[in-house]
Each structure stands twice: as C-alpha cells, then as structure tokens.
Amino acid sequence: MNEDIAKAQALIAAEAIPILQLLMKTCPPSFHERADSLLHCLPGCLTVTIKRGNNLKQTMGSTNAFCRLKIGNGPPRQTKVVNHSTCPEWKEGFTWAFDVPPKGQKLYILCKSKNTFGKTTLGRVTIQIDKVVTEGVYSGFFSLNHDGNRDGSSRTLEIEIIWSNRTSSDGM
C-alpha cells in the first residue's frame, strides 16, 4: 500500500511543479511566498546541460577542454574532453534527483584543459540553485572566473539548467 501512496504523491508532484513555476511568473506578488514554499518541498530533478565553451584559449599548447560539475557532497560529474578547440561543443546533460529541492546549495563547474603536462584550469562558475527551482529554467552565458587570467580575455560557458518534476520512469 505504501508504494501506491508514493506513486500517487509522485504523480501529484510531477503535475504541481510546472504549475507552481508558472504561477510564480504570472500571479501577484502576494501569492509568490506561498507558491515558493510549496515548490521548495516537492521532489524534483536538476538537469544541467553544458552546451559549449567560448574563447577557451591557453597561452601554451592546444586546448583540450572538459568540465567537472559538483553539487554538495555527491560525486562529481564530467563532460567528455573536446580536443584542439578553443570553442568546444559538449551538449552534455547531467541530472541530479532530490527528495526536496537543494535550498541554499550551489552548483560548481570547473573548466579544465588536459595536456601532456597535466591539467590546466581554464576557470570556474558557481551558480546558486534556488533561482532555478523557482523559475524552472535558468540559462545563458556564464563567465569563467580564473585567478591567473591576465590576458583580459573573457572565457564563457553556455549552460542551461532546468528544475522539473521527477517521474517514475527516471528510475531514481
């Protein structure tokens, strides 16, 4: 019987998340607090798609770029290495399932280049997840911050982040 209840609750949550996200965009501000509190107690999935990098030049050697993604204490996820490209295209998505939204947590993305001498850091991006839960989709070009980037070039990653319902077909 508990399994049937869990499936029914998952189905309701699956339908509720997109409706609440739409209400957050269209309803009067007085409703936002209630919709936001409901959104922050429903299970869901965070899907991060690393689309491409721009201007990932290095001072020496060719760029063989990849990205490593991390949320909380979970294991990091990693894109494939794209060899010999300063504008690599990954188009790779990674999904994390949550019983409740990761309030206050951050997504850390580290962009590196693999070469004969080891790995060179090209930069990093840190994104607060809370905004994605409320809006549903958060995407665009994100600047890679790097301590040693003295050439003044602006390295960016194009990223799309989606918070959506978790369905029973996800197998999580």
Coordinates of all heavy atoms in Angstrom, one line a residue, residues 42-128:
L42 N 8.7 20.0 -2.8 CA 8.3 18.9 -3.7 C 9.6 18.3 -4.2 O 10.6 19.0 -4.5 CB 7.5 19.4 -4.8 CG 6.1 19.9 -4.5 CD1 5.5 20.6 -5.7 CD2 5.2 18.7 -4.1
P43 N 9.6 16.9 -4.4 CA 10.8 16.3 -5.0 C 10.9 16.7 -6.5 O 10.0 17.1 -7.1 CB 10.5 14.8 -4.9 CG 9.0 14.7 -4.8 CD 8.6 16.0 -4.1
G44 N 12.2 16.7 -7.0 CA 12.4 17.1 -8.4 C 13.8 16.7 -8.9 O 14.6 16.1 -8.1
C45 N 14.0 17.1 -10.1 CA 15.3 16.8 -10.7 C 15.9 18.1 -11.2 O 15.2 19.0 -11.8 CB 15.2 15.9 -11.9 SG 14.8 14.2 -11.5
L46 N 17.2 18.2 -11.1 CA 18.0 19.3 -11.6 C 18.8 18.8 -12.8 O 19.6 17.8 -12.6 CB 18.9 19.9 -10.5 CG 19.7 21.1 -10.9 CD1 18.7 22.3 -10.9 CD2 20.9 21.4 -10.0
T47 N 18.6 19.3 -14.0 CA 19.3 18.9 -15.1 C 20.2 20.0 -15.6 O 19.6 21.1 -15.9 CB 18.3 18.4 -16.3 OG1 17.5 17.4 -15.8 CG2 19.1 18.0 -17.5
V48 N 21.5 19.8 -15.7 CA 22.4 20.8 -16.1 C 23.0 20.4 -17.5 O 23.5 19.3 -17.6 CB 23.6 21.0 -15.1 CG1 24.6 22.0 -15.6 CG2 23.0 21.3 -13.7
T49 N 22.8 21.2 -18.5 CA 23.4 20.9 -19.8 C 24.5 21.9 -20.1 O 24.3 23.1 -20.1 CB 22.3 21.0 -20.9 OG1 21.2 20.1 -20.6 CG2 22.9 20.6 -22.3
I50 N 25.7 21.3 -20.3 CA 26.9 22.2 -20.7 C 26.8 22.1 -22.2 O 27.1 21.1 -22.8 CB 28.2 21.6 -20.1 CG1 28.1 21.4 -18.6 CG2 29.4 22.5 -20.6 CD1 28.0 22.6 -17.8
K51 N 26.5 23.3 -22.8 CA 26.3 23.3 -24.3 C 27.7 23.5 -25.0 O 28.1 22.7 -25.8 CB 25.3 24.4 -24.6 CG 23.9 24.1 -24.2 CD 23.0 25.1 -24.7 CE 21.5 24.7 -24.4 NZ 20.6 25.7 -24.9
R52 N 28.3 24.6 -24.6 CA 29.6 24.9 -25.3 C 30.4 25.9 -24.5 O 29.9 26.6 -23.6 CB 29.3 25.5 -26.7 CG 28.7 26.9 -26.8 CD 28.4 27.4 -28.2 NE 27.6 26.5 -28.9 CZ 26.3 26.4 -28.9 NH1 25.6 27.2 -28.2 NH2 25.6 25.6 -29.7
G53 N 31.7 26.0 -24.9 CA 32.6 27.0 -24.3 C 33.0 28.0 -25.4 O 33.0 27.7 -26.6
N54 N 33.4 29.2 -24.9 CA 33.8 30.2 -25.9 C 35.1 30.8 -25.4 O 35.3 31.1 -24.2 CB 32.8 31.3 -26.0 CG 31.5 30.8 -26.6 OD1 31.5 30.3 -27.7 ND2 30.4 30.9 -25.8
N55 N 36.1 31.0 -26.3 CA 37.3 31.7 -26.1 C 38.2 31.0 -25.0 O 38.7 31.6 -24.2 CB 37.0 33.2 -25.7 CG 38.2 34.0 -25.8 OD1 39.1 33.8 -26.7 ND2 38.3 35.1 -25.1
L56 N 38.2 29.7 -25.1 CA 39.0 28.9 -24.1 C 40.5 28.8 -24.5 O 41.0 27.7 -24.5 CB 38.3 27.6 -23.8 CG 36.9 27.6 -23.4 CD1 36.4 26.2 -23.1 CD2 36.7 28.5 -22.2
K57 N 41.1 29.9 -24.9 CA 42.5 29.8 -25.3 C 43.4 29.6 -24.1 O 43.1 30.1 -23.0 CB 42.8 31.2 -26.0 CG 42.2 31.4 -27.3 CD 42.7 32.7 -27.9 CE 41.5 33.5 -28.2 NZ 41.7 34.8 -28.5
Q58 N 44.5 29.0 -24.4 CA 45.6 28.9 -23.4 C 46.8 29.6 -24.0 O 47.0 29.8 -25.2 CB 45.9 27.4 -23.2 CG 44.8 26.6 -22.6 CD 45.3 25.2 -22.2 OE1 45.0 24.8 -21.2 NE2 46.1 24.6 -23.1
T59 N 47.7 30.0 -23.1 CA 49.0 30.6 -23.5 C 49.9 29.6 -24.2 O 50.6 30.0 -25.1 CB 49.7 31.3 -22.3 OG1 49.8 30.4 -21.3 CG2 48.9 32.5 -21.9
M60 N 49.9 28.4 -23.7 CA 50.8 27.4 -24.3 C 50.0 26.1 -24.6 O 49.2 25.7 -23.8 CB 51.9 27.0 -23.4 CG 52.9 28.1 -23.2 SD 54.3 27.7 -22.1 CE 55.0 26.3 -22.9
G61 N 50.2 25.6 -25.8 CA 49.6 24.3 -26.2 C 48.2 24.5 -26.6 O 47.6 25.5 -26.5
S62 N 47.6 23.4 -27.2 CA 46.2 23.4 -27.6 C 45.3 23.2 -26.5 O 45.6 22.6 -25.5 CB 46.0 22.4 -28.7 OG 46.2 21.1 -28.2
T63 N 44.1 23.6 -26.6 CA 43.0 23.4 -25.6 C 42.3 22.1 -25.8 O 41.7 21.9 -26.9 CB 42.0 24.6 -25.6 OG1 42.8 25.8 -25.5 CG2 41.0 24.5 -24.5
N64 N 42.3 21.3 -24.8 CA 41.6 20.0 -24.8 C 40.6 20.1 -23.6 O 40.9 19.5 -22.5 CB 42.6 18.8 -24.7 CG 43.6 18.8 -25.8 OD1 43.2 19.0 -26.9 ND2 44.8 18.7 -25.4
A65 N 39.5 20.8 -23.8 CA 38.7 21.2 -22.6 C 37.7 20.1 -22.2 O 37.2 19.4 -23.0 CB 38.0 22.5 -23.0
F66 N 37.4 20.2 -20.9 CA 36.3 19.4 -20.3 C 35.8 20.2 -19.1 O 36.5 21.1 -18.6 CB 36.8 18.0 -19.9 CG 37.8 17.9 -18.8 CD1 37.4 17.7 -17.5 CD2 39.1 18.0 -19.1 CE1 38.4 17.7 -16.5 CE2 40.1 18.0 -18.1 CZ 39.7 17.8 -16.8
C67 N 34.6 19.8 -18.6 CA 34.1 20.5 -17.4 C 33.7 19.4 -16.4 O 33.3 18.3 -16.7 CB 32.8 21.2 -17.8 SG 33.0 22.6 -18.9
R68 N 34.0 19.8 -15.1 CA 33.6 18.9 -14.0 C 32.6 19.7 -13.2 O 32.7 20.8 -12.8 CB 34.9 18.7 -13.1 CG 34.6 17.7 -12.0 CD 35.9 17.2 -11.3 NE 36.6 16.3 -12.2 CZ 37.9 16.3 -12.4 NH1 38.6 17.1 -11.6 NH2 38.5 15.5 -13.2
L69 N 31.4 19.0 -12.9 CA 30.3 19.6 -12.2 C 30.2 18.9 -10.8 O 30.3 17.7 -10.7 CB 29.0 19.4 -13.0 CG 28.9 20.0 -14.4 CD1 29.6 19.1 -15.4 CD2 27.5 20.1 -14.7
K70 N 29.8 19.7 -9.8 CA 29.7 19.2 -8.5 C 28.6 19.9 -7.7 O 28.5 21.1 -7.8 CB 31.0 19.3 -7.7 CG 31.0 18.6 -6.4 CD 32.4 18.3 -6.0 CE 32.5 17.6 -4.6 NZ 31.7 16.5 -4.4
I71 N 27.7 19.1 -7.0 CA 26.7 19.7 -6.1 C 26.9 19.0 -4.8 O 26.8 17.8 -4.7 CB 25.3 19.5 -6.6 CG1 25.1 20.2 -8.0 CG2 24.2 19.9 -5.6 CD1 23.7 20.0 -8.6
G72 N 27.0 19.8 -3.7 CA 27.1 19.2 -2.4 C 28.2 18.2 -2.2 O 29.3 18.3 -2.8
N73 N 27.9 17.1 -1.5 CA 28.9 16.1 -1.2 C 28.9 14.9 -2.2 O 29.6 13.9 -2.0 CB 28.7 15.5 0.2 CG 29.0 16.6 1.3 OD1 29.8 17.4 1.1 ND2 28.2 16.5 2.3
G74 N 28.0 15.0 -3.2 CA 27.9 13.9 -4.2 C 29.1 13.8 -5.1 O 30.0 14.8 -5.1
P75 N 29.2 12.7 -5.8 CA 30.4 12.6 -6.7 C 30.3 13.6 -7.9 O 29.2 13.9 -8.3 CB 30.3 11.1 -7.2 CG 28.8 10.8 -7.0 CD 28.3 11.6 -5.9
P76 N 31.5 14.0 -8.3 CA 31.5 15.0 -9.4 C 31.1 14.3 -10.7 O 31.3 13.1 -10.9 CB 32.9 15.5 -9.5 CG 33.7 14.5 -8.8 CD 32.8 13.8 -7.8
R77 N 30.5 15.0 -11.7 CA 30.2 14.5 -13.0 C 31.1 15.2 -14.0 O 31.6 16.3 -13.7 CB 28.8 14.8 -13.4 CG 27.7 14.5 -12.3 CD 27.3 13.1 -12.3 NE 26.3 12.8 -11.3 CZ 25.0 12.8 -11.5 NH1 24.5 13.2 -12.6 NH2 24.2 12.5 -10.5
Q78 N 31.4 14.6 -15.1 CA 32.4 15.2 -16.0 C 32.0 15.1 -17.5 O 31.5 14.0 -17.9 CB 33.7 14.6 -15.8 CG 34.9 15.2 -16.6 CD 36.2 14.7 -16.2 OE1 36.6 14.7 -15.0 NE2 36.9 14.1 -17.1
T79 N 32.2 16.1 -18.3 CA 31.9 16.0 -19.7 C 33.1 15.3 -20.4 O 34.1 15.1 -19.8 CB 31.8 17.4 -20.4 OG1 33.1 18.1 -20.3 CG2 30.7 18.3 -19.7
K80 N 32.9 15.0 -21.6 CA 33.9 14.4 -22.4 C 35.0 15.5 -22.7 O 34.7 16.7 -22.6 CB 33.4 13.8 -23.7 CG 32.8 14.8 -24.7 CD 32.2 14.1 -25.9 CE 31.7 15.2 -26.9 NZ 30.3 15.5 -26.7
V81 N 36.2 15.1 -23.1 CA 37.2 16.0 -23.5 C 37.1 16.3 -25.0 O 36.9 15.4 -25.8 CB 38.6 15.4 -23.2 CG1 39.7 16.3 -23.7 CG2 38.8 15.1 -21.7
V82 N 37.0 17.6 -25.3 CA 37.0 18.0 -26.7 C 38.4 18.5 -27.0 O 38.8 19.5 -26.5 CB 35.9 19.1 -26.9 CG1 36.0 19.6 -28.4 CG2 34.5 18.6 -26.6
N83 N 39.0 17.8 -27.9 CA 40.4 18.1 -28.3 C 40.6 19.2 -29.3 O 39.8 19.4 -30.2 CB 41.1 16.9 -28.8 CG 41.3 15.8 -27.7 OD1 41.7 16.1 -26.6 ND2 40.9 14.6 -28.1
H84 N 41.6 20.0 -29.1 CA 42.1 21.0 -30.1 C 41.0 22.0 -30.5 O 40.8 22.3 -31.7 CB 42.6 20.4 -31.4 CG 43.6 19.3 -31.1 ND1 44.9 19.5 -30.5 CD2 43.5 17.9 -31.3 CE1 45.5 18.4 -30.4 NE2 44.7 17.4 -30.8
S85 N 40.3 22.6 -29.5 CA 39.2 23.6 -29.8 C 39.2 24.6 -28.7 O 39.1 24.3 -27.5 CB 37.9 22.9 -29.9 OG 36.9 23.8 -30.1
T86 N 39.2 25.9 -29.1 CA 39.0 27.0 -28.1 C 37.5 27.3 -27.9 O 37.2 28.1 -27.1 CB 39.8 28.3 -28.6 OG1 39.3 28.6 -29.9 CG2 41.3 28.0 -28.6
C87 N 36.7 26.7 -28.8 CA 35.2 26.8 -28.7 C 34.6 25.4 -28.7 O 33.8 25.1 -29.7 CB 34.7 27.7 -29.8 SG 35.2 29.4 -29.7
P88 N 34.8 24.6 -27.7 CA 34.3 23.2 -27.7 C 32.8 23.2 -27.6 O 32.2 24.0 -26.9 CB 35.0 22.6 -26.5 CG 35.3 23.7 -25.6 CD 35.6 24.9 -26.5
E89 N 32.2 22.2 -28.2 CA 30.8 21.9 -28.0 C 30.6 20.6 -27.4 O 31.1 19.6 -27.9 CB 30.1 21.9 -29.4 CG 30.0 23.3 -30.0 CD 28.9 23.4 -31.1 OE1 28.0 22.5 -31.1 OE2 29.0 24.3 -31.9
W90 N 30.0 20.6 -26.2 CA 29.8 19.4 -25.5 C 28.3 18.9 -25.6 O 28.1 17.7 -25.9 CB 30.0 19.6 -24.0 CG 31.5 19.8 -23.7 CD1 32.5 18.8 -23.6 CD2 32.1 21.0 -23.3 NE1 33.7 19.4 -23.3 CE2 33.5 20.7 -23.1 CE3 31.7 22.3 -23.2 CZ2 34.4 21.7 -22.7 CZ3 32.6 23.3 -22.8 CH2 33.9 23.0 -22.6
K91 N 27.4 19.7 -25.4 CA 25.9 19.4 -25.5 C 25.7 18.1 -24.6 O 25.0 17.2 -25.0 CB 25.5 19.2 -26.9 CG 25.6 20.4 -27.8 CD 25.1 20.2 -29.2 CE 25.3 21.4 -30.0 NZ 25.1 21.1 -31.4
E92 N 26.2 18.2 -23.4 CA 26.1 17.0 -22.5 C 25.2 17.5 -21.3 O 25.5 18.5 -20.7 CB 27.4 16.5 -22.0 CG 28.2 15.7 -23.0 CD 29.4 15.1 -22.4 OE1 29.3 14.3 -21.4 OE2 30.5 15.4 -22.8
G93 N 24.2 16.6 -20.9 CA 23.4 16.9 -19.8 C 23.6 16.0 -18.6 O 23.9 14.8 -18.8
F94 N 23.5 16.5 -17.4 CA 23.6 15.7 -16.2 C 22.4 16.0 -15.3 O 22.0 17.1 -15.1 CB 24.9 16.0 -15.5 CG 26.2 15.9 -16.3 CD1 26.6 17.0 -17.1 CD2 26.8 14.7 -16.4 CE1 27.7 16.8 -17.9 CE2 27.9 14.5 -17.2 CZ 28.4 15.6 -18.0
T95 N 21.9 14.9 -14.7 CA 20.7 15.1 -13.8 C 20.9 14.6 -12.4 O 21.5 13.5 -12.2 CB 19.5 14.3 -14.5 OG1 19.3 14.8 -15.8 CG2 18.3 14.5 -13.6
W96 N 20.5 15.4 -11.5 CA 20.5 15.0 -10.1 C 19.1 14.9 -9.6 O 18.3 15.9 -9.8 CB 21.3 16.1 -9.2 CG 22.8 16.1 -9.4 CD1 23.7 15.5 -8.6 CD2 23.5 16.8 -10.4 NE1 25.0 15.7 -9.1 CE2 24.9 16.6 -10.2 CE3 23.1 17.6 -11.5 CZ2 25.9 17.1 -11.0 CZ3 24.1 18.2 -12.3 CH2 25.5 17.9 -12.0
A97 N 18.7 13.9 -8.8 CA 17.4 13.8 -8.3 C 17.4 14.2 -6.8 O 18.4 13.8 -6.1 CB 16.9 12.3 -8.4
F98 N 16.4 14.9 -6.4 CA 16.3 15.4 -5.0 C 15.0 15.0 -4.4 O 13.9 15.2 -5.1 CB 16.5 16.9 -4.9 CG 17.9 17.3 -5.3 CD1 18.2 17.7 -6.6 CD2 18.9 17.4 -4.4 CE1 19.4 18.1 -7.0 CE2 20.2 17.8 -4.7 CZ 20.5 18.2 -6.1
D99 N 14.9 14.6 -3.2 CA 13.7 14.3 -2.5 C 13.0 15.7 -2.1 O 11.8 15.8 -2.1 CB 13.9 13.5 -1.2 CG 14.2 12.1 -1.5 OD1 13.8 11.6 -2.6 OD2 15.0 11.5 -0.7
V100 N 13.8 16.7 -1.8 CA 13.4 18.1 -1.6 C 14.4 18.9 -2.3 O 15.6 18.6 -2.4 CB 13.3 18.5 -0.1 CG1 12.2 17.7 0.6 CG2 14.6 18.3 0.6
P101 N 14.0 20.1 -2.8 CA 14.9 21.0 -3.5 C 16.2 21.3 -2.7 O 16.0 21.5 -1.5 CB 14.1 22.2 -3.9 CG 12.7 21.7 -3.9 CD 12.6 20.6 -2.9
P102 N 17.3 21.4 -3.3 CA 18.5 21.7 -2.6 C 18.7 23.2 -2.2 O 19.4 24.0 -2.8 CB 19.6 21.3 -3.6 CG 19.0 21.5 -5.0 CD 17.5 21.2 -4.7
K103 N 17.9 23.6 -1.2 CA 17.9 25.0 -0.8 C 19.2 25.4 -0.3 O 19.8 24.8 0.5 CB 16.8 25.2 0.3 CG 16.5 26.6 0.6 CD 15.2 26.7 1.3 CE 14.8 28.2 1.6 NZ 14.1 28.8 0.5
G104 N 19.7 26.6 -0.8 CA 21.0 27.1 -0.4 C 22.2 26.5 -1.0 O 23.3 26.9 -0.8
Q105 N 22.0 25.4 -1.8 CA 23.2 24.7 -2.3 C 23.6 25.4 -3.6 O 22.8 26.1 -4.3 CB 22.9 23.3 -2.6 CG 22.8 22.4 -1.4 CD 22.9 21.0 -1.7 OE1 23.6 20.5 -2.5 NE2 22.1 20.2 -0.9
K106 N 24.8 25.1 -4.0 CA 25.4 25.7 -5.2 C 25.9 24.6 -6.2 O 26.3 23.6 -5.7 CB 26.6 26.6 -4.9 CG 26.1 27.8 -4.1 CD 27.3 28.7 -3.7 CE 26.8 29.9 -2.8 NZ 27.9 30.7 -2.3
L107 N 25.8 25.0 -7.4 CA 26.4 24.1 -8.5 C 27.8 24.7 -8.8 O 27.9 25.9 -9.1 CB 25.5 24.2 -9.7 CG 26.1 23.6 -11.0 CD1 26.4 22.1 -11.0 CD2 25.2 23.9 -12.2
Y108 N 28.8 23.8 -8.7 CA 30.2 24.3 -9.0 C 30.6 23.6 -10.3 O 30.5 22.4 -10.5 CB 31.1 23.9 -7.9 CG 30.8 24.5 -6.6 CD1 30.1 23.8 -5.6 CD2 31.3 25.8 -6.3 CE1 29.8 24.4 -4.4 CE2 31.0 26.4 -5.1 CZ 30.2 25.7 -4.1 OH 29.9 26.2 -2.9
I109 N 31.0 24.4 -11.3 CA 31.5 23.9 -12.6 C 33.0 24.4 -12.7 O 33.2 25.6 -12.7 CB 30.7 24.4 -13.8 CG1 29.2 24.0 -13.5 CG2 31.2 23.9 -15.1 CD1 28.2 24.6 -14.5
L110 N 33.8 23.4 -12.9 CA 35.3 23.7 -13.1 C 35.6 23.3 -14.6 O 35.4 22.2 -15.0 CB 36.1 22.9 -12.1 CG 37.6 23.1 -12.2 CD1 38.0 24.5 -11.8 CD2 38.2 22.1 -11.2
C111 N 36.2 24.3 -15.3 CA 36.5 24.0 -16.7 C 38.1 23.9 -16.8 O 38.8 24.7 -16.3 CB 36.1 25.2 -17.6 SG 36.3 24.8 -19.4
K112 N 38.5 22.7 -17.3 CA 39.9 22.5 -17.4 C 40.4 22.0 -18.8 O 39.5 21.7 -19.6 CB 40.3 21.3 -16.4 CG 40.1 21.7 -15.0 CD 40.6 20.6 -14.0 CE 41.4 21.3 -12.9 NZ 42.3 20.5 -12.3
S113 N 41.7 22.0 -19.0 CA 42.2 21.5 -20.3 C 43.2 20.5 -19.9 O 44.1 20.6 -19.0 CB 42.9 22.7 -21.0 OG 43.4 22.2 -22.2
K114 N 43.1 19.4 -20.6 CA 44.0 18.2 -20.4 C 45.1 18.3 -21.5 O 44.9 18.4 -22.7 CB 43.2 17.0 -20.6 CG 43.8 15.7 -20.1 CD 42.8 14.6 -20.3 CE 43.1 13.4 -19.4 NZ 42.1 12.4 -19.5
N115 N 46.4 18.2 -21.0 CA 47.5 18.2 -22.0 C 48.6 17.3 -21.5 O 48.5 16.7 -20.4 CB 48.0 19.7 -22.2 CG 48.4 20.4 -21.0 OD1 49.0 19.8 -20.1 ND2 48.0 21.7 -20.8
T116 N 49.7 17.3 -22.2 CA 50.8 16.4 -21.8 C 51.4 16.7 -20.4 O 51.9 15.8 -19.8 CB 52.0 16.6 -22.8 OG1 51.7 17.5 -23.8 CG2 52.4 15.3 -23.5
F117 N 51.3 17.9 -20.0 CA 51.9 18.3 -18.7 C 50.9 18.2 -17.5 O 51.2 18.6 -16.4 CB 52.5 19.7 -18.8 CG 53.4 19.9 -19.9 CD1 53.0 20.7 -21.0 CD2 54.6 19.3 -19.9 CE1 53.9 20.9 -22.1 CE2 55.5 19.5 -20.9 CZ 55.1 20.3 -22.0
G118 N 49.7 17.7 -17.8 CA 48.7 17.6 -16.7 C 47.4 18.3 -17.1 O 47.1 18.3 -18.3
K119 N 46.8 18.9 -16.1 CA 45.6 19.6 -16.4 C 45.8 21.1 -16.0 O 46.3 21.4 -14.9 CB 44.5 19.0 -15.6 CG 44.2 17.6 -16.0 CD 43.1 16.9 -15.1 CE 43.0 15.5 -15.6 NZ 42.5 14.6 -14.5
T120 N 45.3 22.0 -16.8 CA 45.3 23.4 -16.6 C 43.9 23.9 -16.3 O 43.0 23.5 -17.1 CB 45.8 24.2 -17.9 OG1 47.0 23.6 -18.2 CG2 46.0 25.6 -17.6
T121 N 43.7 24.7 -15.3 CA 42.4 25.3 -15.0 C 42.1 26.4 -15.9 O 42.9 27.4 -16.0 CB 42.3 25.7 -13.5 OG1 42.5 24.5 -12.7 CG2 40.9 26.3 -13.2
L122 N 41.0 26.4 -16.6 CA 40.6 27.5 -17.5 C 39.6 28.5 -16.8 O 39.5 29.6 -17.2 CB 39.9 26.9 -18.8 CG 40.7 26.0 -19.6 CD1 39.9 25.3 -20.7 CD2 41.9 26.8 -20.3
G123 N 39.0 28.0 -15.7 CA 38.1 28.9 -15.0 C 37.0 28.1 -14.3 O 36.9 26.9 -14.5
R124 N 36.2 28.8 -13.5 CA 35.2 28.2 -12.7 C 33.9 29.1 -12.7 O 34.0 30.3 -12.8 CB 35.6 27.8 -11.3 CG 36.3 28.9 -10.6 CD 36.9 28.4 -9.2 NE 37.9 27.4 -9.2 CZ 39.2 27.6 -9.4 NH1 39.6 28.8 -9.7 NH2 40.1 26.7 -9.3
V125 N 32.8 28.4 -12.6 CA 31.5 29.1 -12.4 C 30.8 28.5 -11.2 O 30.8 27.3 -11.0 CB 30.6 28.8 -13.7 CG1 29.2 29.4 -13.5 CG2 31.3 29.4 -14.9
T126 N 30.2 29.4 -10.4 CA 29.4 28.9 -9.3 C 28.0 29.5 -9.5 O 27.8 30.7 -9.7 CB 30.0 29.4 -8.0 OG1 31.3 29.0 -7.9 CG2 29.2 28.9 -6.8
I127 N 27.0 28.6 -9.4 CA 25.6 29.0 -9.6 C 24.7 28.6 -8.4 O 24.7 27.5 -8.0 CB 25.0 28.4 -10.9 CG1 25.9 28.9 -12.1 CG2 23.5 28.8 -11.1 CD1 25.6 28.1 -13.4
Q128 N 24.0 29.6 -7.9 CA 23.0 29.3 -6.8 C 21.8 28.6 -7.4 O 21.2 29.0 -8.3 CB 22.6 30.6 -6.1 CG 21.8 30.5 -4.9 CD 22.6 30.0 -3.7 OE1 23.8 30.4 -3.6 NE2 22.1 29.3 -2.8

